[in-house]
């Protein structure tokens, strides 16, 4: 079944099946659904419109996204998100933050690879990724998913994508129409096919929704799902509880300090032989004359003067009958443990831990380690691996857009795409000193081993073995290095020596090799 992109057909003919949006015929029937990636399954052929289940799903989806965005405005969560996004997307004035690597694809010619590179640059320009790459990644990380409308000129589809317009993740939902077939012998229902569509609704209160073809939408989820695996969640999901606990403890700490910090006074007022009512009025009059009402607002963090409500900052007033010690004013000491912040620090560390941020970044006096890569902490190493996993999930944005662009332009066929997509790699610009120091240290260790084994090349080890197992050069790198070596004028001696064994080179070094210099 072809997919129509606003009247443009992309895919195979209607006679061919479409299973999970891939042009692959099902080899055998199955009773379970394929991976739907955040799609809500509904039975095909029935009326789904804006039913109760769909309405509740869209509303809850919007509520979770609103919660994630609210969390991102908190200072602690914002700092953690800032660290993650800065590590993932590095802006460079000279080139795009991300590049395309097609070196693993051997089935394509160099001319086709050059065309694919140009189309990928076109996608980056449509996204304005050089200027807005950080915001795009940050929005995807917070919402847990991202959507783009890939706009194509209907009159001239071979122009490819002419605009990529972002869609609010709270207004769109992926729907999977499941077509089932009953087995004539057992009566069991098996999955015959799955067709995915997108349902868009401008406002949660709208009574109607728009159905959009999947080829018009570029969808890239976070890769995390809830316990039922029916909803893609944000990476902030597991930080909801620690953040709420941190805010609650901070408010409680501030209130405790405001209430226990001052030294309050205790007034013992001599009321003599006044009746009870008169004594209470007399004491109340003194209280209204001398008290200062301070109230702490937990929402704004402000302290205001409010004389309408009682609070814990007031002094204590006690009437004393005739025959006592008379009027007396004493002092009640303030709190003695106001400087303790262990509870706040505990929940702050718990919040950072839930977001995979290294604990060492919480310490203000701990600078970045500029030493050997072996001295980098385990937390920083795990954090770098976490960033790489985020990038792999984020790559779906470029994969989906590039697929539509190449097929519309006629550069490749849809069947070819599903064969080559596993071999496409993306290279991100990195300014992490840890990455550079690790690469330099690995290279240094390899060169040290090469010096030790150099005397045995030709006797016990071949040159090809050294290049593949010691220097870890691939076939393509070996060919490229040989080509570059032979092209350099001063390396003519090296090009000559590549055809000789070390013993032959030593015998010939006094004659030919010296003359080459």
């Amino acid at each position: 079944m072809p997919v129509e992109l606003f009247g443009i057909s992309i895919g195979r003919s209607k006679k061919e099946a479409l299973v999970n949006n891939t042009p692959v015929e099902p080899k055998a029937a199955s009773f379970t659904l394929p991976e739907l990636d955040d799609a809500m399954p509904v039975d095909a052929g029935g009326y789904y419109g804006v039913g109760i289940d769909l309405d509740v799903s869209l509303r809850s989806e919007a509520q979770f996204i609103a919660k994630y965005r609210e969390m991102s405005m908190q200072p602690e969560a914002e700092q953690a998100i800032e660290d993650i996004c800065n590590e993932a997307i590095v802006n460079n004035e000279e080139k795009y933050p991300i590049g395309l690597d097609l070196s693993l694809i051997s089935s394509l010619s160099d001319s086709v690879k050059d065309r694919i590179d140009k189309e990928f640059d076109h996608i980056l320009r449509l996204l304005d990724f050089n200027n807005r790459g950080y915001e795009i990644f940050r929005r995807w990380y917070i919402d847990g998913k991202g959507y783009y409308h890939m706009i194509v000129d209907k009159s001239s589809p071979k122009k490819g994508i002419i605009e990529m317009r972002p869609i609010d993740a709270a207004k769109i939902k992926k729907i999977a129409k499941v077509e089932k077939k009953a087995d004539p012998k057992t009566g069991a229902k098996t999955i015959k096919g799955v067709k995915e569509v997108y349902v868009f609704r401008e406002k949660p209160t709208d009574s109607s929704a728009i159905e959009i073809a999947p080829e018009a939408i570029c969808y890239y989820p976070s890769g995390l799902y809830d316990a039922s695996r029916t909803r893609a969640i944000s990476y902030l999901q597991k930080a909801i509880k620690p953040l709420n606990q941190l805010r609650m403890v901070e408010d409680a700490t501030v209130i405790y300090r405001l209430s226990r910090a001052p030294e309050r006074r205790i007034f013992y007022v001599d009321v003599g032989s006044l009746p009870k009512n008169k004594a209470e009025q007399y004491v109340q009059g003194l209280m209204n004359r001398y008290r200062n009402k301070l109230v702490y607002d937990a929402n704004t963090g402000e302290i205001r003067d409010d004389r309408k409500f009682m609070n814990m900052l007031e002094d204590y007033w006690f009437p004393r009958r005739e025959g006592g010690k008379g009027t007396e004013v004493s002092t009640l000491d303030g709190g003695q443990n106001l400087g303790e912040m262990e509870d706040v620090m505990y929940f702050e560390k718990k919040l950072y831990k839930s977001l995979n941020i290294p604990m060492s970044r919480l310490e203000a006096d701990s600078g970045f380690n500029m030493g050997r890569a072996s001295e980098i902490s385990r937390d920083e190493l795990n954090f770098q691996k976490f960033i790489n996993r985020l990038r792999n999930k984020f790559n779906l944005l470029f994969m989906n857009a590039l697929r539509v662009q190449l097929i519309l332009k006629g550069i490749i066929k849809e069947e070819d795409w599903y064969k080559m997509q596993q071999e496409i790699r993306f290279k991100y610009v990195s300014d992490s000193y840890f990455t550079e120091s690790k690469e330099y240290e690995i290279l240094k260790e390899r060169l040290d081993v090469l010096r030790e084994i150099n005397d045995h090349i030709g006797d016990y080890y071949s040159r090809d073995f050294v290049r593949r197992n010691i220097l870890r050069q691939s076939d393509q790198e070996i060919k490229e290095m040989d080509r570059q070596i032979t092209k350099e004028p001063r390396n003519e001696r090296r090009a000559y020596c590549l055809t000789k064994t070390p013993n032959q080179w030593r015998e010939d070094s006094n004659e030919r090799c010296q003359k080459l210099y």
Side-chain angles (χ1 to χ4, degrees), residues 107-142:
S107 58
L108 299 180
S109 62
D110 293 339
S111 59
V112 175
K113 290 182 180 180
D114 292 339
R115 295 183 62 185
I116 295 177
D117 285 331
K118 292 180 180 179
E119 299 303 330
F120 179 72
D121 292 340
H122 176 70
I123 296 296
L124 294 180
R125 287 193 295 270
L126 291 178
L127 295 171
D128 194 14
F129 201 80
N130 200 31
N131 299 319
R132 303 188 60 222
Y134 176 88
E135 290 78 8
I136 295 174
F137 185 88
R138 187 177 188 274
R139 183 171 63 245
W140 166 80
Y141 178 82
I142 294 174

Side-chain angles (χ1 to χ4, degrees), residues 431-444:
D431 61 353
S432 174
Y433 180 82
F434 163 71
T435 303
E436 295 180 4
S437 61
K438 182 181 68 173
E439 293 176 355
Y440 292 150
E441 185 172 344
I442 292 175
L443 180 59
K444 181 178 179 299

Side-chain angles (χ1 to χ4, degrees), residues 109-383:
S109 62
D110 293 339
S111 59
V112 175
K113 290 182 180 180
D114 292 339
R115 295 183 62 185
I116 295 177
D117 285 331
K118 292 180 180 179
E119 299 303 330
F120 179 72
D121 292 340
H122 176 70
I123 296 296
L124 294 180
R125 287 193 295 270
L126 291 178
L127 295 171
D128 194 14
F129 201 80
N130 200 31
N131 299 319
R132 303 188 60 222
Y134 176 88
E135 290 78 8
I136 295 174
F137 185 88
R138 187 177 188 274
R139 183 171 63 245
W140 166 80
Y141 178 82
I142 294 174
D143 294 348
K145 59 189 71 177
Y147 299 87
Y148 271 91
H149 180 202
M150 297 179 291
I151 302 177
V152 179
D153 187 0
K154 184 178 179 180
S155 60
S156 181
K158 290 187 177 181
K159 292 181 179 180
I161 303 173
I162 60 176
E163 182 182 355
M164 293 193 66
R165 189 171 299 176
I167 305 175
D168 189 350
K171 299 179 180 180
I172 191 170
K173 179 64 178 177
K174 188 178 182 181
I175 304 297
K177 296 181 179 181
V178 183
E179 184 178 354
K180 298 181 179 179
K181 179 181 179 181
D183 187 87
K185 297 182 179 179
T186 62
K189 293 184 178 180
T190 57
I191 306 300
K192 183 180 179 181
V194 178
K195 180 183 178 183
E196 296 178 352
V197 296
Y198 291 89
V199 175
F200 176 80
R201 189 164 59 179
E202 182 65 31
K203 298 180 180 179
T205 57
D206 290 347
S207 58
S208 60
I210 303 174
E211 180 179 333
I212 307 173
E215 296 298 330
I217 302 297
C218 179
Y219 170 58
Y220 50 110
S222 64
L224 297 180
Y225 301 93
D226 58 4
S228 60
R229 293 194 63 81
T230 57
R231 181 177 62 87
I233 60 178
S234 169
Y235 288 91
L236 300 180
Q237 177 70 29
K238 56 183 179 180
I240 293 179
K241 183 177 179 180
L243 181 59
N244 292 335
Q245 291 174 331
L246 176 61
R247 289 193 294 184
M248 181 177 61
V249 172
E250 287 178 341
D251 292 339
T253 302
V254 173
I255 294 174
Y256 175 77
R257 289 192 172 188
L258 291 176
S259 61
R260 295 293 293 160
E263 294 182 351
R264 290 170 291 179
R265 297 166 296 180
I266 303 177
F267 294 85
Y268 296 95
V269 181
D270 186 6
V271 295
S273 59
L274 292 176
K276 181 178 180 182
N277 293 336
K278 295 291 184 180
E280 291 179 355
Q281 293 177 4
Y282 177 68
V283 174
Q284 187 68 32
L286 293 176
M287 291 173 59
N288 294 333
R289 186 183 305 175
Y290 294 106
R291 72 180 180 180
N292 184 19
K293 305 287 289 186
L294 295 178
V295 177
Y296 172 73
D297 191 346
N299 295 324
T300 62
E302 298 177 350
I303 300 176
R304 66 176 185 268
D305 187 5
D306 196 339
R307 298 179 181 273
K308 296 181 181 181
F309 304 98
M310 300 290 290
N311 62 16
M312 297 179 63
L313 287 177
E314 293 183 345
D315 298 327
Y316 293 96
W317 300 75
F318 299 102
R320 178 175 286 177
R321 287 293 178 181
E322 183 181 8
K325 296 180 180 180
T327 301
E328 178 185 353
V329 179
S330 62
T331 303
L332 181 63
D333 295 335
Q336 303 299 320
N337 57 347
L338 300 179
E340 296 181 359
M341 296 291 292
E342 285 80 4
D343 293 344
V344 176
M345 294 301 298
Y346 169 78
F347 285 106
E348 189 175 6
K349 290 181 179 180
K350 189 175 181 180
L351 172 63
Y352 270 65
K353 190 175 182 180
S354 65
L355 295 174
N356 297 327
I357 302 296
M359 293 297 101
S360 59
R361 302 196 177 194
L362 280 176
E363 302 174 3
D365 56 346
S366 62
F368 186 79
N369 188 357
M370 301 293 287
R372 295 167 59 89
S374 58
E375 299 174 359
I376 300 296
S377 64
R378 182 184 295 270
D379 291 341
E380 288 290 343
L381 180 60
N382 292 334
F383 181 65

